[in-house]
Amino acid sequence: RACTDSGALLRPSKPATAIDSTFLYRSELTSDGPDGEVWSSFTELFFGVNFHHIIAADLKSDYEVTTRDLHLPPDVDNYVAWEHPQSFDANDVHVQPVFDASNPIKAAKCGQSDFHLYHTAHVIKAGNSSVAILGEVEKWVPISVDRIVGVATDGDNVNVEVKGAPSENVTFAFYNTESKAVSTVSCVLSDLGSATLSYPADTCL
């Protein structure tokens, strides 16, 4: 769940840390903070474009994770969010189609063993389509610079160049904002440990 077939760790761009409102809440400087643990991290694929990872555990009450919690601009409007399914199966992914200042991630009350793991994904315009790369749902960190080499668009297609172990099978999930459907593309990496997954063409380049 945490590495490639060769053992390379799939990491975010920074370690997870408690969100700022945690400390304000515990210092009794605000009532608008999590009564429990909410930690966040991110993977930066493009300059200034982050895919966030949020873990919520031991929450005594529900908490709404906002764009401010993730240090996003107040007017951001090109993100979706999703909760990592316990099955680690892309067929069980349910996407929140809009994550912005008016539509936070609603983290439900939970304990330590039934924690929640959420992610955000940046929406990419490709021709007439708008697509969010959800990544490897079978991994704890579905979007990692240790896996993704680059992202490019070609007409209506989004091409994701990946790396890993030779002959490793890599499956990425994608979300189409128009159809609101989650689809997957799978590729077997070359002898050099590389491949390019193309969506919605569903091909390996």
Side-chain angles (χ1 to χ4, degrees), residues 123-196:
V123 176
I124 299 170
K125 191 72 175 175
N128 295 319
S129 301
S130 294
V131 176
I133 306 170
L134 306 185
E136 291 183 275
V137 179
E138 64 182 33
K139 305 295 186 182
W140 288 112
V141 180
I143 298 287
S144 172
V145 292
D146 297 295
R147 174 68 85 191
I148 298 176
V149 177
V151 176
T153 58
D154 181 13
D156 290 338
N157 290 313
V158 174
N159 298 330
V160 183
E161 183 181 358
V162 298
K163 62 182 179 180
S167 301
E168 182 177 3
N169 194 313
V170 175
T171 300
F172 265 55
F174 298 84
Y175 175 75
N176 185 296
T177 62
E178 281 79 29
S179 66
K180 294 182 170 37
V182 175
S183 304
T184 59
V185 178
S186 297
C187 286
V188 176
L189 304 192
S190 70
D191 291 342
L192 297 176
S194 64
T196 298

Side-chain angles (χ1 to χ4, degrees), residues 1 20 35 71 73-75 93 104 139 147 176-177 180 197:
R1 300 296 185 197
D20 293 346
D35 188 5
H71 301 286
D75 59 347
V93 169
K139 305 295 186 182
R147 174 68 85 191
N176 185 296
T177 62
K180 294 182 170 37
L197 302 87

Side-chain angles (χ1 to χ4, degrees), residues 19 33-39 54-66 69 81 83 96 99 103-111 114-118:
I19 60 175
D35 188 5
E37 303 295 335
V38 177
W39 291 48
I54 306 104
I55 186 168
D58 204 21
L59 285 176
K60 306 299 187 297
S61 59
D62 297 350
Y63 180 72
E64 295 185 345
V65 181
T66 66
D69 285 327
E83 182 172 2
Q96 177 180 318
F99 173 60
N103 297 276
I105 296 170
K106 296 181 179 180
K109 176 182 176 181
C110 62
D114 59 339
F115 64 89
H116 301 289
L117 178 60
Y118 303 95

